[in-house]
Amino acid sequence: MDVIIEQTHFRFKVLDFLGRPEINGQSILSPRFLVTDSNERSGRIELAIYPKGFNSQYLGFVSIFLKNSSKTDLHLSCELSLEDKDGKQQKIVTNMN
């Protein structure tokens, strides 16, 4: 059995994050990008970022989702990191399945 590991690096920059006009429950969508999963299925995904939280339960928090924009079920692992205004990266989520 051959194991194929595909890596996709995607960077999405949100300018003036603290000054964003979105309210709780409103999101910023990234451009869609193509990924290939561990079963060699390809699909398009995007990030949905809720600067003021996904709903009232998460008010005061930032909510981030991977949104599958294709009709194909995908099995993905990912690593999510944030970069501050000085370019310093901080890993916040790893091995999400």
Side-chain angles (χ1 to χ4, degrees):
M1 180 175 162
D2 292 331
V3 176
I4 299 172
I5 299 174
E6 294 282 336
Q7 289 189 355
T8 300
H9 296 272
F10 178 75
R11 186 178 198 173
F12 180 57
K13 187 173 187 175
V14 178
L15 299 175
D16 191 23
F17 190 81
L18 294 177
R20 297 291 309 182
E22 288 82 14
I23 60 172
N24 180 252
Q26 291 181 333
S27 67
I28 304 164
L29 293 177
S30 74
R32 292 180 180 148
F33 54 101
L34 185 65
V35 295
T36 302
D37 75 2
S38 58
N39 295 314
E40 298 185 52
R41 294 176 296 212
S42 293
R44 295 204 174 274
I45 63 173
E46 60 192 326
L47 291 174
I49 303 169
Y50 295 79
K52 309 283 191 307
F54 175 66
N55 58 28
S56 59
Q57 182 180 352
Y58 298 101
L59 184 63
F61 294 91
V62 175
S63 302
I64 303 173
F65 296 88
L66 275 178
K67 182 179 175 186
N68 186 350
S69 302
S70 63
K71 294 183 180 182
T72 305
D73 287 336
L74 300 169
H75 182 262
L76 303 171
S77 293
C78 74
E79 180 177 294
L80 178 63
S81 62
L82 297 179
E83 185 175 291
D84 67 18
K85 63 182 179 174
D86 298 321
K88 183 179 178 187
Q89 287 193 0
Q90 179 180 357
K91 191 182 302 182
I92 59 170
V93 176
T94 59
N95 297 325
M96 266 183 357
N97 302 29

